[in-house]
Amino acid sequence: QVQVAESGGGSVQAGGSLRLSCVLSSGYTYNSNCIGWFRQVPGKEREGLAALLVGGDNPYYSDSVRGRFTISEDNAKRTMYLQMNSLSPEDTGMYYCAADFVDTFCSSWMRRARGDYGWWGQGTQVTVSF
């Protein structure tokens, strides 16, 4: 089992930046092979934003955030980050970090995961205003 906990959400004006953090419990490198960030807006399906193979260096991004968001992992700190730049009001939502052990590519997991499987945090709210 992997426990995850997000932090770093808040309110920011359009064009600003935020960095989200996700602390993963010890042993996550043994119990998961994909980690990532997801976003949910009320009334919409949870959307995969960025994913990373645990210990890897080839991140995957959704079209909506590619070029603006950066996912990274600090294995020593058991922490995953999401650096978000050039934020727009469309980025407003609840942000979740997640980990899972899957038998597919992490990019596929990112596109399909909706919260039914794997380990998910409680979410951190990001609000971007004009």
Side-chain angles (χ1 to χ4, degrees):
Q1 187 173 358
V2 179
Q3 294 178 331
V4 298
E6 312 93 339
S7 63
S11 298
V12 64
Q13 288 190 324
S17 299
L18 279 175
R19 188 176 80 158
L20 306 182
S21 299
C22 174
V23 177
L24 302 107
S25 60
S26 60
Y28 81 95
T29 57
Y30 301 104
N31 295 313
S32 60
N33 59 354
C34 293
I35 51 178
W37 290 95
F38 298 76
R39 176 173 67 202
Q40 188 156 26
V41 177
K44 292 189 176 181
E45 201 170 50
R46 192 169 295 185
E47 173 191 12
L49 303 177
L52 192 62
L53 181 69
V54 172
D57 57 3
N58 188 21
Y60 312 96
Y61 298 98
S62 68
D63 291 341
S64 62
V65 305
R66 186 178 295 112
R68 300 187 299 123
F69 291 12
T70 302
I71 186 173
S72 62
E73 176 195 10
D74 187 330
N75 185 274
K77 295 182 179 180
R78 294 188 281 109
T79 303
M80 174 176 59
Y81 302 98
L82 185 68
Q83 177 65 45
M84 306 185 294
N85 299 326
S86 301
L87 286 162
S88 72
E90 289 71 30
D91 294 313
T92 293
M94 187 69 76
Y95 284 68
Y96 298 88
C97 68
D100 202 353
F101 196 97
V102 298
D103 59 359
T104 184
F105 295 107
C106 291
S107 55
S108 297
W109 169 73
M110 184 194 78
R111 289 191 295 269
R112 298 173 186 172
R114 293 296 179 265
D116 296 337
Y117 300 98
W119 298 280
W120 295 76
Q122 294 299 308
T124 185
Q125 177 69 32
V126 171
T127 303
V128 185
S129 59
F130 287 102

